[in-house]
Amino acid sequence: MANNNQQSEKLADRMYDTSDYKKKDNMSQGFATTHEQVSDAYTEGTVDGVMENVAGKDIPLQRKGYEK
C-alpha cells in the first residue's frame, strides 16, 4: 500500500512544464494537451461556442455529437 501512496503523491505533485510538449509519455502528453485546451479557451475568452476569425466575424463552432 505504501508504494501506491508514494506513486499517488508523486503524480499529485506533478505540474505542467513546457518540456511536456516534447515528451512522449502519457502523463506529459496529457499535461500538454490540457494546457493547450485551457490556453485556447482563456485566449478566446468565451464559452458560448463561437470563435472570432481574424476579420472579427463570429464563427459558430460545430457541436455535432454534443447536442441532445
Side-chain angles (χ1 to χ4, degrees):
M1 194 78 153
N3 191 23
N4 251 356
N5 286 341
Q6 289 172 342
Q7 186 176 9
S8 293
E9 286 178 16
K10 182 180 176 185
L11 296 175
D13 286 340
R14 177 91 196 290
M15 292 177 28
Y16 163 78
D17 187 271
T18 54
S19 65
D20 287 330
Y21 281 99
K22 296 179 182 177
K23 295 178 182 175
K24 300 295 181 195
D25 63 282
N26 284 340
M27 182 176 289
S28 296
Q29 288 294 299
F31 273 116
T33 299
T34 302
H35 179 265
E36 188 70 24
Q37 292 170 340
V38 170
S39 177
D40 288 350
Y42 178 78
T43 302
E44 184 61 29
T46 183
V47 294
D48 60 1
V50 177
M51 188 178 230
E52 188 177 292
N53 71 7
V54 293
K57 181 181 175 192
D58 285 345
I59 303 168
L61 300 176
Q62 293 290 329
R63 292 180 170 255
K64 190 174 187 176
Y66 295 102
E67 294 180 9
K68 291 182 179 182

